[in-house]
Amino acid sequence: MHLAPYMLRRALSAATVALLATAVGCAPQPEEKSATTPTGTAGAAACAKGKLATQTSGKLTIATDEPAYEPWFKDGKPANGEGFESAVAYAVAQQLGYDKANVVWQSVPFNKAFAPGAKTFDFDINQVSISAERKKAVDFSSGYYDVRQAVIALKTSKAAKATSIADLKGLKLGAQVGTTSLDYIDDVVKPTQQPAAYAKNDQAKSALQNGQVDAIVVDLPTAFYITAAEVTDAKIVGQFENQGGTPEQFGLVLDKGSALTSCVTTAVDALRKDGTLASIEKQWLSDAVDAPVLK
């Protein structure tokens, strides 16, 4: 699933959270070829640059949540090309044959992006982790960013002294609902207290500052931004190791069975191969360096 107000997600009723949980997962799975995905010569024709079967002919519609947080976006404006995900989105668009003038941005709530049902966008970019559960409802491109989850606590709190997962078990932890951050609390930490689930990362940050939770979990780049610019009296306690040996990855979200899935995946793969993704990451996520690993 942003220093500025950040990416962590919906404080809903317990019933709603239970429904959302079915759409959540952590470990990315190998992409499965859809029966409707063009292959071979037909696939090449379907992926002709600037000629894709998009929502609007001649335009590429890209969705993300609002507000759009740093470091993923800059100044809350996805269309400016600044911030990691905005830059990635435009790089993918260029690979597909759409210049900046032909990209249309759309606001779609985080959880709605990967919920079942027809989509109004061509692809969504919003720190959505690829998972087997989510793949039941939507398609994903190959991963455009390998990510780890991290724990943030106020510098003066007992949580700030944690050096292991065991040290976190007795704490009140919080995260945005529908995210792998919340999954890591439930599945890795397994705390003795029910974790707090928030509709937005802003709410989680406020809860941390107000002492309603001892620590919050967010992705590592977001953690660096929060502690550097938003909650400067907080620190990164540490990061979690990836579970199951496969890195957690963010992927572009597409409609289930979309004819664009293979085209978008090819574009992402090309950007990884030629070093563009690494260059964009270095530019916008340079602060996401090593943090202590919680074991």
Side-chain angles (χ1 to χ4, degrees):
M1 350 302 101
H2 293 144
L3 151 89
Y6 254 10
M7 36 181 251
L8 282 52
R9 339 264 172 187
R10 327 274 156 202
L12 303 176
S13 67
T16 304
V17 173
L19 289 173
L20 290 172
T22 61
V24 178
C26 289
Q29 303 294 323
E31 280 297 324
E32 297 176 2
K33 290 188 180 297
S34 167
T36 60
T37 299
T39 57
T41 304
C47 295
K49 289 197 171 186
K51 304 293 184 181
L52 278 63
T54 54
Q55 293 283 335
T56 301
S57 180
K59 302 286 185 180
L60 186 67
T61 302
I62 304 175
T64 196
D65 202 354
E66 185 180 357
Y69 300 122
E70 297 188 22
W72 312 107
F73 300 94
K74 185 74 172 176
D75 300 327
K77 299 176 181 178
N80 65 13
E82 300 183 50
F84 178 76
E85 290 194 327
S86 181
V88 168
Y90 280 116
V92 171
Q94 186 175 25
Q95 281 286 325
L96 296 173
Y98 296 88
D99 59 26
K100 194 170 183 178
N102 290 319
V103 171
V104 177
W105 285 89
Q106 185 180 100
S107 176
V108 173
F110 177 79
N111 285 312
K112 188 176 180 180
F114 53 84
K119 307 305 177 193
T120 56
F121 51 79
D122 294 311
F123 69 76
D124 178 278
I125 183 166
N126 191 26
Q127 309 107 61
V128 181
S129 295
I130 302 169
S131 75
E133 282 300 314
R134 288 173 177 167
K135 283 184 177 182
K136 295 176 182 178
V138 294
D139 283 356
F140 281 95
S141 70
S142 52
Y144 62 86
Y145 179 66
D146 297 351
V147 64
R148 287 192 177 190
Q149 300 298 317
V151 180
I152 298 175
L154 297 180
K155 294 175 182 177
T156 56
S157 71
K158 61 180 180 180
K161 299 177 182 178
T163 58
S164 68
I165 292 174
D167 293 339
L168 302 174
K169 288 187 179 294
L171 303 179
K172 181 69 174 180
L173 304 175
Q176 184 173 345
V177 72
T179 63
T180 51
S181 301
L182 188 58
D183 287 344
Y184 267 67
I185 295 176
D186 290 331
D187 302 334
V188 178
V189 180
K190 301 178 181 178
T192 57
Q193 300 183 59
Q194 181 71 23
Y198 299 97
K200 290 283 187 181
N201 199 25
D202 276 353
Q203 295 173 352
K205 288 184 295 182
S206 294
L208 178 66
Q209 291 174 299
N210 295 334
Q212 296 170 300
V213 292
D214 298 309
I216 60 174
V217 178
V218 297
D219 62 79
L220 187 57
T222 295
F224 274 98
Y225 190 75
I226 288 175
T227 55
E230 290 192 317
V231 188
T232 55
D233 57 344
K235 62 173 284 187
I236 296 174
V237 177
Q239 62 178 309
F240 295 107
E241 292 182 305
N242 284 315
Q243 302 300 301
T246 303
E248 177 186 349
Q249 293 183 314
F250 293 156
L252 305 177
V253 182
L254 299 95
D255 204 356
K256 187 66 177 176
S258 172
L260 303 182
T261 301
S262 63
C263 305
V264 173
T265 289
T266 297
V268 172
D269 290 345
L271 294 172
R272 184 178 290 278
K273 184 176 181 180
D274 70 12
T276 299
L277 290 181
S279 177
I280 294 173
E281 181 177 336
K282 183 178 181 180
Q283 179 180 1
W284 295 107
L285 302 180
S286 58
D287 286 339
V289 294
D290 290 339
V293 177
L294 300 168
K295 298 182 179 180

